[in-house]
Amino acid sequence: MTPQPNGRRHHRWRAAIAVIAATTLLVVAGCAGSSLSDADTTATEIRIGLIVPKSGPYKAIGDDQAAGWRLALDKLGGKLGGRPVKVIEADEGDGKATALASARKLIEQDKVLALVGGGTADTVQTLYPLLNESKVPLIGMGGRPSTIADPTYLWSTSWLSQETGASIAGYLRTTVGNGRVWVIGPDYIGGRDQIGGFVTAFRKAGGQLANPGGEPTWTPWAPAPTTEFSPYLTKIKEAKPAAVYTFYAGASAIEFVKQYRQYGITTPLYASGFLTEGAPLAALKEQAKGIYTALNYSPTLDNAANRDFVRRFTAGNDGKLPNVYHVCAWDAALVLDRAISEALAQPDAPATTPSTTGTASASSSPAPSGSPAASRPAASSAAASGAATGLTSQTLTAALPRVGSIDSPRGAWQFGPTNHTPVQAYYLREVAQDGQVWVNRTVQTLTTLGS
């Protein structure tokens, strides 16, 4: 029941790897975000706020996001929509108080046109009310929680957190047959979504959990993420399930896999792709061998956009391969480049974009009366004037639905109308060694998800 890789695609990827060797800013009063006057020219500078983890358990993810963003800006000549860009960076920290303070500074003091970033679902959930209050959009590059009622000012180039687990659930159900799967993950909104997405889809496919009571095992997230897993691994080893499914990222991912191996557990390990993505794979190397994961990107994908992306990235990073955090940040720049061009081309477009959803589920309904969309005040006349004559946060938001298909290293995708997340393919990947490099090699396409 071991999946077989696509040999031709893998060979072509290896072959590809082998050859790689200010003008004045007019600030509009009110809560409409920053704007550019009707006298703006191609030299007018645009301010963008980049908010990523620069401290805390997900710092490595933030470093990767920032690197992917800078690589894209380099490709675009330091411009977005043909305009020079000033990027102001800030720390999201643990995703709560630090993230909120950083975002407020970027919006209220630095007067940024838009925010990009967000390493965790915690950050997105924390910033959500501020986005609605300020009417400044966030192009999310990381975890996207299921709790967002009205995503008018939230557009994610990453994933809906429930989708990663859901994408592999049917495959794992077929693989284990009548066997039961032990499920374990961190107890916070991102972990609940990631694990919940798997469990819901797995049960729908007829699968059963091996955990006591048939419910997932949750490990503490606060005041600090769990890094000592011995009590949980003891129970897993005793239960002898057909497989284990998990979601961890960052330092917790590294420690979970290390201790899993140290305990001598031979049960096949499946996971959301973040378990072996980026820093965890670099730290684990051979300890991660044979782990199967699901994610929306692998550096071994055989398409023109990915070959170009891998070439650019490895050339500037001593042969290191890119990961999904680089890709989502790269795509965020491509999205803003196109959206800003659209907003400038159609400056009289509506200042706000009506949301097509009321929930984060697959079904659509108008925003409830108590939702942020229903309760936030209308834009000021100054903001409306700015929208009619120049580039503002609101005209940019109105342009985002018009960006169309993004030619991404992960494969072409476009925003879904419901949650503003990519409609994209998810891939089954296996950790394997390729020469001196450990990679999450592509095994097969699992499904396409997004909304």
Side-chain angles (χ1 to χ4, degrees), residues 86-289:
K86 179 177 181 179
V87 179
I88 305 170
E89 299 189 13
D91 183 18
E92 75 175 67
D94 64 359
K96 293 188 182 297
T98 303
L100 185 59
S102 292
R104 281 200 177 279
K105 175 188 176 296
L106 290 170
I107 292 171
E108 296 172 3
Q109 295 183 32
D110 298 314
K111 307 296 182 182
V112 297
L113 180 71
L115 298 174
V116 293
T120 71
D122 262 357
T123 290
V124 174
Q125 183 171 256
T126 299
L127 298 187
Y128 173 56
L130 177 61
L131 304 179
N132 287 291
E133 170 193 329
S134 65
K135 297 181 173 62
V136 172
L138 166 66
I139 311 301
M141 306 190 305
R144 165 66 157 79
S146 62
T147 54
I148 302 303
D150 170 18
T152 297
Y153 296 101
L154 176 60
W155 301 75
S156 299
T157 61
S158 49
W159 54 83
L160 190 63
S161 294
Q162 296 165 321
E163 292 173 352
T164 314
S167 72
I168 197 175
Y171 170 85
L172 189 50
R173 170 68 178 90
T174 300
T175 301
V176 302
N178 293 324
R180 299 191 177 202
V181 174
W182 189 288
V183 180
I184 182 172
D187 189 9
Y188 77 107
I189 181 60
R192 289 274 174 173
D193 278 348
Q194 288 280 345
I195 293 299
F198 171 80
V199 170
T200 298
F202 186 65
R203 285 173 172 163
K204 186 175 181 179
Q208 297 184 59
L209 272 57
N211 306 62
E215 297 296 331
T217 297
W218 302 105
T219 59
W221 175 258
T226 298
T227 55
E228 173 52 61
F229 295 98
S230 56
Y232 310 100
L233 295 173
T234 298
K235 293 180 180 179
I236 291 174
K237 192 170 185 178
E238 291 173 349
K240 298 180 180 179
V244 171
Y245 181 82
T246 189
F247 159 75
Y248 287 106
S252 293
I254 295 171
E255 290 305 315
F256 182 85
V257 175
K258 280 184 176 180
Q259 293 168 42
Y260 195 92
R261 299 307 191 201
Q262 290 167 359
Y263 266 70
I265 300 174
T266 58
T267 302
L269 181 57
Y270 294 81
S272 172
F274 310 104
L275 189 76
T276 61
E277 193 71 3
L281 182 58
L284 291 166
K285 297 183 173 66
E286 188 172 4
Q287 292 179 91
K289 181 179 180 181

